[in-house]
Amino acid sequence: MRKINMITVVGMMITFLLHAIFGSFQLIGIGKNSMKIVAWILVFFIAVHTIIGIILTISTLYSIKKSGKGYFKENKLFWLRRISGFLIIILMIFHLVIFRQKESSPRLQEFNTFSLITQILLVISILIHVISNIKPTLISFGITSLKRFSIDILIALSIFLLFFIIAFIIYYFRWQGI
């Protein structure tokens, strides 16, 4: 199941970056194609990843109950991964509602302050989730030089995520007429 999850993570990362880059260009006003099909493929990968995460979490909770030892302090990173993933799901629902397009109207829905806050929180939640999972993800791909690769990946990811936040802010200002 963990191998399927890793394949899912790769697919999710590729489709996420494609969706977010093209979507950001559209929000800024220099792109027309949001690659809607890529967004729905991303939703599929997220759903598979979520189901696997739930199964693994239930298995872990069962083991904790069976052993009678929770070791919450020792498992903070485990809970950070689960909580940040759950938060992403909630904020992704806001994202889907905010950016839904009706067939009759090519224009997106109104983008207000609440929308901006939820989308910035989505980006921050993704960053926290990726940072907390980067080490086991690299290990699962057989990468043993973790420090060098993880720093490079985090720098690249931070640049992308900063661009995405800036795109949301520009879109917000466009809606406000500023």
mmCIF file of all heavy atoms in Angstrom, residues 53-70 72 75 78-79 82:
data_model
loop_
_atom_site.group_PDB
_atom_site.id
_atom_site.type_symbol
_atom_site.label_atom_id
_atom_site.label_comp_id
_atom_site.label_asym_id
_atom_site.label_seq_id
_atom_site.Cartn_x
_atom_site.Cartn_y
_atom_site.Cartn_z
ATOM 1 N N GLY A 53 -4.127 7.243 3.391
ATOM 2 C CA GLY A 53 -3.780 7.864 4.667
ATOM 3 C C GLY A 53 -4.746 7.485 5.779
ATOM 4 O O GLY A 53 -4.334 7.220 6.908
ATOM 5 N N ILE A 54 -6.026 7.435 5.446
ATOM 6 C CA ILE A 54 -7.025 7.042 6.438
ATOM 7 C C ILE A 54 -6.824 5.591 6.858
ATOM 8 O O ILE A 54 -6.868 5.262 8.049
ATOM 9 C CB ILE A 54 -8.454 7.276 5.892
ATOM 10 C CG1 ILE A 54 -8.746 8.781 5.809
ATOM 11 C CG2 ILE A 54 -9.498 6.573 6.755
ATOM 12 C CD1 ILE A 54 -10.014 9.126 5.047
ATOM 13 N N ILE A 55 -6.578 4.717 5.888
ATOM 14 C CA ILE A 55 -6.350 3.296 6.198
ATOM 15 C C ILE A 55 -5.126 3.133 7.100
ATOM 16 O O ILE A 55 -5.174 2.408 8.102
ATOM 17 C CB ILE A 55 -6.210 2.471 4.905
ATOM 18 C CG1 ILE A 55 -7.555 2.405 4.170
ATOM 19 C CG2 ILE A 55 -5.681 1.066 5.196
ATOM 20 C CD1 ILE A 55 -7.462 1.855 2.750
ATOM 21 N N LEU A 56 -4.036 3.818 6.759
ATOM 22 C CA LEU A 56 -2.817 3.714 7.566
ATOM 23 C C LEU A 56 -3.020 4.325 8.963
ATOM 24 O O LEU A 56 -2.487 3.811 9.952
ATOM 25 C CB LEU A 56 -1.645 4.374 6.847
ATOM 26 C CG LEU A 56 -1.191 3.686 5.556
ATOM 27 C CD1 LEU A 56 -0.122 4.515 4.858
ATOM 28 C CD2 LEU A 56 -0.698 2.275 5.828
ATOM 29 N N THR A 57 -3.782 5.411 9.049
ATOM 30 C CA THR A 57 -4.058 6.033 10.342
ATOM 31 C C THR A 57 -4.898 5.107 11.216
ATOM 32 O O THR A 57 -4.610 4.937 12.411
ATOM 33 C CB THR A 57 -4.775 7.387 10.158
ATOM 34 O OG1 THR A 57 -3.935 8.240 9.365
ATOM 35 C CG2 THR A 57 -5.063 8.047 11.494
ATOM 36 N N ILE A 58 -5.925 4.503 10.639
ATOM 37 C CA ILE A 58 -6.763 3.557 11.396
ATOM 38 C C ILE A 58 -5.924 2.383 11.886
ATOM 39 O O ILE A 58 -6.044 1.952 13.041
ATOM 40 C CB ILE A 58 -7.963 3.088 10.546
ATOM 41 C CG1 ILE A 58 -8.954 4.245 10.366
ATOM 42 C CG2 ILE A 58 -8.652 1.884 11.180
ATOM 43 C CD1 ILE A 58 -10.052 3.975 9.359
ATOM 44 N N SER A 59 -5.041 1.886 11.028
ATOM 45 C CA SER A 59 -4.155 0.787 11.420
ATOM 46 C C SER A 59 -3.271 1.200 12.598
ATOM 47 O O SER A 59 -3.077 0.436 13.547
ATOM 48 C CB SER A 59 -3.302 0.369 10.229
ATOM 49 O OG SER A 59 -2.329 -0.554 10.595
ATOM 50 N N THR A 60 -2.738 2.415 12.537
ATOM 51 C CA THR A 60 -1.892 2.913 13.619
ATOM 52 C C THR A 60 -2.691 3.082 14.907
ATOM 53 O O THR A 60 -2.232 2.706 15.991
ATOM 54 C CB THR A 60 -1.239 4.251 13.219
ATOM 55 O OG1 THR A 60 -0.460 4.056 12.036
ATOM 56 C CG2 THR A 60 -0.363 4.798 14.328
ATOM 57 N N LEU A 61 -3.889 3.650 14.798
ATOM 58 C CA LEU A 61 -4.730 3.831 15.983
ATOM 59 C C LEU A 61 -5.112 2.490 16.605
ATOM 60 O O LEU A 61 -5.162 2.358 17.833
ATOM 61 C CB LEU A 61 -5.987 4.638 15.632
ATOM 62 C CG LEU A 61 -5.753 6.102 15.264
ATOM 63 C CD1 LEU A 61 -7.052 6.757 14.818
ATOM 64 C CD2 LEU A 61 -5.108 6.861 16.409
ATOM 65 N N TYR A 62 -5.344 1.502 15.767
ATOM 66 C CA TYR A 62 -5.640 0.155 16.253
ATOM 67 C C TYR A 62 -4.442 -0.402 17.025
ATOM 68 O O TYR A 62 -4.596 -0.992 18.099
ATOM 69 C CB TYR A 62 -6.020 -0.767 15.093
ATOM 70 C CG TYR A 62 -6.282 -2.187 15.509
ATOM 71 C CD1 TYR A 62 -7.461 -2.534 16.171
ATOM 72 C CD2 TYR A 62 -5.343 -3.193 15.261
ATOM 73 C CE1 TYR A 62 -7.704 -3.839 16.569
ATOM 74 C CE2 TYR A 62 -5.574 -4.497 15.652
ATOM 75 C CZ TYR A 62 -6.754 -4.823 16.307
ATOM 76 O OH TYR A 62 -6.978 -6.109 16.702
ATOM 77 N N SER A 63 -3.242 -0.215 16.472
ATOM 78 C CA SER A 63 -2.027 -0.688 17.154
ATOM 79 C C SER A 63 -1.827 0.028 18.485
ATOM 80 O O SER A 63 -1.398 -0.581 19.464
ATOM 81 C CB SER A 63 -0.804 -0.475 16.260
ATOM 82 O OG SER A 63 -0.904 -1.249 15.108
ATOM 83 N N ILE A 64 -2.113 1.330 18.505
ATOM 84 C CA ILE A 64 -1.985 2.100 19.746
ATOM 85 C C ILE A 64 -2.957 1.565 20.796
ATOM 86 O O ILE A 64 -2.587 1.366 21.955
ATOM 87 C CB ILE A 64 -2.221 3.607 19.483
ATOM 88 C CG1 ILE A 64 -1.038 4.194 18.713
ATOM 89 C CG2 ILE A 64 -2.449 4.368 20.781
ATOM 90 C CD1 ILE A 64 -1.265 5.615 18.221
ATOM 91 N N LYS A 65 -4.190 1.339 20.367
ATOM 92 C CA LYS A 65 -5.195 0.836 21.305
ATOM 93 C C LYS A 65 -4.814 -0.555 21.806
ATOM 94 O O LYS A 65 -4.945 -0.855 22.986
ATOM 95 C CB LYS A 65 -6.568 0.798 20.625
ATOM 96 C CG LYS A 65 -7.671 0.391 21.572
ATOM 97 C CD LYS A 65 -9.017 0.434 20.909
ATOM 98 C CE LYS A 65 -10.066 0.008 21.925
ATOM 99 N NZ LYS A 65 -11.400 0.066 21.409
ATOM 100 N N LYS A 66 -4.325 -1.387 20.910
ATOM 101 C CA LYS A 66 -3.961 -2.759 21.261
ATOM 102 C C LYS A 66 -2.803 -2.781 22.265
ATOM 103 O O LYS A 66 -2.808 -3.571 23.201
ATOM 104 C CB LYS A 66 -3.595 -3.526 19.990
ATOM 105 C CG LYS A 66 -3.383 -4.998 20.187
ATOM 106 C CD LYS A 66 -3.119 -5.662 18.851
ATOM 107 C CE LYS A 66 -2.811 -7.126 19.019
ATOM 108 N NZ LYS A 66 -2.516 -7.772 17.748
ATOM 109 N N SER A 67 -1.819 -1.890 22.054
ATOM 110 C CA SER A 67 -0.667 -1.864 22.943
ATOM 111 C C SER A 67 -0.951 -1.107 24.232
ATOM 112 O O SER A 67 -0.254 -1.301 25.231
ATOM 113 C CB SER A 67 0.535 -1.223 22.240
ATOM 114 O OG SER A 67 0.333 0.169 22.104
ATOM 115 N N GLY A 68 -1.928 -0.211 24.176
ATOM 116 C CA GLY A 68 -2.248 0.569 25.361
ATOM 117 C C GLY A 68 -1.322 1.745 25.584
ATOM 118 O O GLY A 68 -1.402 2.437 26.590
ATOM 119 N N LYS A 69 -0.442 2.000 24.646
ATOM 120 C CA LYS A 69 0.520 3.096 24.763
ATOM 121 C C LYS A 69 0.363 4.021 23.553
ATOM 122 O O LYS A 69 0.550 3.615 22.421
ATOM 123 C CB LYS A 69 1.968 2.572 24.790
ATOM 124 C CG LYS A 69 2.246 1.587 25.893
ATOM 125 C CD LYS A 69 2.378 2.311 27.205
ATOM 126 C CE LYS A 69 2.782 1.314 28.285
ATOM 127 N NZ LYS A 69 2.843 1.894 29.570
ATOM 128 N N GLY A 70 0.035 5.288 23.820
ATOM 129 C CA GLY A 70 -0.164 6.240 22.738
ATOM 130 C C GLY A 70 1.093 6.960 22.319
ATOM 131 O O GLY A 70 1.268 7.281 21.158
ATOM 132 N N PHE A 72 1.999 10.026 22.613
ATOM 133 C CA PHE A 72 1.627 11.207 21.842
ATOM 134 C C PHE A 72 2.816 12.131 21.616
ATOM 135 O O PHE A 72 3.029 12.613 20.508
ATOM 136 C CB PHE A 72 0.485 11.976 22.514
ATOM 137 C CG PHE A 72 0.047 13.175 21.718
ATOM 138 C CD1 PHE A 72 -0.757 13.027 20.602
ATOM 139 C CD2 PHE A 72 0.476 14.454 22.064
ATOM 140 C CE1 PHE A 72 -1.146 14.130 19.849
ATOM 141 C CE2 PHE A 72 0.093 15.556 21.321
ATOM 142 C CZ PHE A 72 -0.720 15.392 20.214
ATOM 143 N N ASN A 75 5.049 10.944 18.984
ATOM 144 C CA ASN A 75 4.408 10.842 17.668
ATOM 145 C C ASN A 75 3.834 12.168 17.174
ATOM 146 O O ASN A 75 2.903 12.180 16.380
ATOM 147 C CB ASN A 75 3.297 9.787 17.707
ATOM 148 C CG ASN A 75 3.854 8.394 17.859
ATOM 149 O OD1 ASN A 75 4.826 8.048 17.205
ATOM 150 N ND2 ASN A 75 3.250 7.606 18.725
ATOM 151 N N PHE A 78 3.793 12.464 13.398
ATOM 152 C CA PHE A 78 2.715 11.658 12.827
ATOM 153 C C PHE A 78 1.409 12.444 12.851
ATOM 154 O O PHE A 78 0.683 12.507 11.853
ATOM 155 C CB PHE A 78 2.576 10.356 13.630
ATOM 156 C CG PHE A 78 1.346 9.549 13.277
ATOM 157 C CD1 PHE A 78 1.361 8.701 12.187
ATOM 158 C CD2 PHE A 78 0.193 9.651 14.044
ATOM 159 C CE1 PHE A 78 0.231 7.946 11.870
ATOM 160 C CE2 PHE A 78 -0.936 8.902 13.736
ATOM 161 C CZ PHE A 78 -0.913 8.050 12.642
ATOM 162 N N TRP A 79 1.092 13.068 13.993
ATOM 163 C CA TRP A 79 -0.158 13.811 14.124
ATOM 164 C C TRP A 79 -0.126 15.100 13.313
ATOM 165 O O TRP A 79 -1.156 15.513 12.759
ATOM 166 C CB TRP A 79 -0.479 14.066 15.596
ATOM 167 C CG TRP A 79 -0.844 12.785 16.270
ATOM 168 C CD1 TRP A 79 -0.123 12.105 17.208
ATOM 169 C CD2 TRP A 79 -2.002 11.980 15.996
ATOM 170 N NE1 TRP A 79 -0.757 10.935 17.542
ATOM 171 C CE2 TRP A 79 -1.929 10.837 16.814
ATOM 172 C CE3 TRP A 79 -3.094 12.111 15.140
ATOM 173 C CZ2 TRP A 79 -2.896 9.840 16.812
ATOM 174 C CZ3 TRP A 79 -4.067 11.116 15.143
ATOM 175 C CH2 TRP A 79 -3.963 9.994 15.958
ATOM 176 N N ARG A 82 -1.124 14.126 9.835
ATOM 177 C CA ARG A 82 -2.561 13.832 9.723
ATOM 178 C C ARG A 82 -3.390 15.108 9.805
ATOM 179 O O ARG A 82 -4.299 15.323 9.013
ATOM 180 C CB ARG A 82 -3.007 12.860 10.820
ATOM 181 C CG ARG A 82 -2.594 11.397 10.696
ATOM 182 C CD ARG A 82 -1.989 11.052 9.385
ATOM 183 N NE ARG A 82 -1.712 9.644 9.187
ATOM 184 C CZ ARG A 82 -0.509 9.168 8.914
ATOM 185 N NH1 ARG A 82 0.539 9.950 8.882
ATOM 186 N NH2 ARG A 82 -0.352 7.884 8.652
#
